[in-house]
Amino acid sequence: MGIAETADEQLSIGEVAERTGLSVHALRFYEREGLLVGPVRRTSGGRRRYTAFDVDWLLICVKLRESGMPLADLKQFAELVRQGPGNEAERLELLDAHRQRVDAQIRALEECRSVIAWKVGVYAEHLVRGEAGGLWDPTA
């Protein structure tokens, strides 16, 4: 079972916003852009009602977006899921391409972290020795 307590639980847009970390505005945007797998049900008064499945799907979407997946790719992924069985190879290709981009970003960030750690070490060493004055002094 996912985030919601039962599969039949009906959640308001505010409850879903709280559970996913998305704003109410973002949830409406996701719906408008076709990023949800199924249609959002409505009460007789027109209020949106979400299910546990919707919450679980949105949590996946949040992670894909946080990891830099382009909106167009997320739309394509949602559309493939909506189409149902038979396109799993296309879904895998899309997700694997994204994973490769994320892996490349991680490698680049690790290189950046290494340079920063080296520079922190240089400054720390000079400060401990009392020789920090003039480090990278553009006026010298």
Side-chain angles (χ1 to χ4, degrees), residues 54-67:
D54 295 324
V55 171
D56 290 344
W57 173 256
L58 286 163
L59 290 170
I60 292 168
C61 291
V62 165
K63 291 304 177 191
L64 291 173
R65 288 294 291 150
E66 283 179 357
S67 64

Side-chain angles (χ1 to χ4, degrees), residues 3-12 16 19-20 38-41 48-58:
I3 294 296
E5 291 180 18
T6 68
D8 297 334
E9 185 177 15
Q10 296 291 302
L11 303 163
S12 71
V16 173
R19 292 180 187 204
T20 62
V40 175
R41 296 182 182 115
R48 289 170 174 85
R49 300 308 289 174
Y50 295 85
T51 65
F53 178 83
D54 295 324
V55 171
D56 290 344
W57 173 256
L58 286 163

